[in-house]
Amino acid sequence: MPTIVFASPKGGAGKSTSAVILATEIAARGATVTLIDADPNRPISRWASLPGVPETLTVVADVTEEGIIDVIEDAARRSAFVIVDLEGTASMMVGYAVSTADLVIVPTQGSTLDAAEAVRAIRLVRNMEKATRGASIPSAILFTRTSAAIRPRSLTAIAAEFAEHGVPVIATQMHEREAFRAVFAYGGSLADLDRSQVSNVDAALRNARAFAAEVVGMLPAAAAADAAAPARKVA
Ligand SMILES: Nc1ncnc2c1ncn2[C@@H]1O[C@H](COP(=O)(O)OP(=O)(O)OP(=O)(O)O)[C@@H](O)[C@H]1O
Ligand SMILES: [Mg+2]
């Protein structure tokens, strides 16, 4: 079933945060999700060591460069969704993961310097398409850590530039929210957060739901049907 890969050579772009939020949001609908922690720094595994990992979500770590394609293919046979979090670098591992993807999400913060790094990630995807001589690998930019209150003109200009170059931009942004960070501190999903400890959880939940719905809508049609029908689980 479809594989969504988070990739960007820029460290701290928001890959791991967005991957966990997407995975927990899809799992909350009852679909099976395998979240592959392909970053040697193991951010996802640390999150998974805390309580509250959804029942339908499996985390796989200990992934090697030689093994990553097999690990992804195996997960895709077992789960309705596979989500891969990668290290903030350009490596063979990243290339292999991208080659298996049904969608590559490139998170970027909304500055011109960050956008340049996102362009490198998109180029890597386009090169992988050529290298594998296979079908196209859809990719899209995800703006992260943006303000929920204001949309600076620089962000609009960057988004327009991506569009001009035929690079899709995910309309939903992962805004700067304490709740997204808190999931890594307390474990589990946004819905499990203690509202007396963490501010604006409901706004973060709405943000996460809109993000997940948009991403699932970008996948092949069969995947969207799976997420919409939580009772139907793929063994
Ligand atoms: N939407 C968000 N709201 C608030 N904080 C965020 C958000 N996205 C990311 N962060 C914070 O930004 C920092 C970097 O995020 P994250 O670790 O997800 O990036 P990354 O791309 O996975 O980094 P790396 O390349 O090092 O793996 C973290 O401190 C994280 O808590
Ligand atoms: Mg990371």
Side-chain angles (χ1 to χ4, degrees):
M1 291 306 228
T3 299
I4 303 160
V5 171
F6 282 83
S8 166
K10 169 92 178 147
K15 295 177 287 293
S16 304
T17 303
S18 308
V20 165
I21 297 297
L22 178 66
T24 50
E25 193 48 48
I26 293 177
R29 303 177 191 200
T32 50
V33 179
T34 299
L35 183 51
I36 298 177
D37 186 356
D39 180 346
N41 299 310
R42 308 277 193 98
I44 306 271
S45 304
R46 277 200 299 279
W47 165 79
S49 71
L50 298 168
V53 176
E55 255 177 47
T56 53
L57 194 156
T58 308
V59 171
V60 174
D62 287 323
V63 189
T64 61
E65 187 179 285
E66 299 77 44
I68 187 154
I69 292 183
D70 290 339
V71 169
I72 292 174
E73 284 182 350
D74 184 48
R77 275 192 291 274
R78 285 184 287 108
S79 298
F81 293 87
V82 180
I83 297 174
V84 185
D85 181 43
L86 290 159
E87 191 180 5
T89 178
S91 62
M92 281 296 259
M93 176 96 111
V94 173
Y96 286 148
V98 162
S99 75
T100 70
D102 293 285
L103 176 65
V104 179
I105 297 180
V106 179
T108 181
Q109 295 177 33
S111 78
T112 310
L113 285 175
D114 288 292
E117 295 287 318
V119 167
R120 281 180 61 206
I122 298 289
R123 275 206 205 108
L124 184 141
V125 175
R126 301 236 162 116
N127 281 331
M128 276 321 290
E129 285 175 334
K130 287 182 194 157
T132 55
R133 295 183 195 163
S136 70
I137 305 170
S139 56
I141 299 288
L142 168 68
F143 285 115
T144 59
R145 305 194 72 175
T146 50
S147 163
I150 51 158
R151 186 181 168 97
R153 241 188 267 165
S154 55
L155 186 64
T156 307
I158 292 167
E161 205 166 311
F162 281 126
E164 228 170 76
H165 290 88
V167 180
V169 175
I170 296 175
T172 311
Q173 300 172 9
M174 287 289 284
H175 292 305
E176 172 76 30
R177 294 188 189 279
E178 188 199 346
F180 294 151
R181 280 193 295 271
V183 160
F184 282 82
Y186 298 110
S189 311
L190 286 169
D192 306 326
L193 292 174
D194 180 346
R195 286 161 169 75
S196 67
Q197 303 278 335
V198 184
S199 64
N200 265 334
V201 172
D202 290 321
L205 264 171
R206 283 195 296 278
N207 193 164
R209 280 184 191 141
F211 170 52
E214 192 177 349
V215 168
V216 170
M218 294 169 83
L219 296 169
D226 260 320
R232 205 180 118 218
K233 288 185 191 170
V234 174

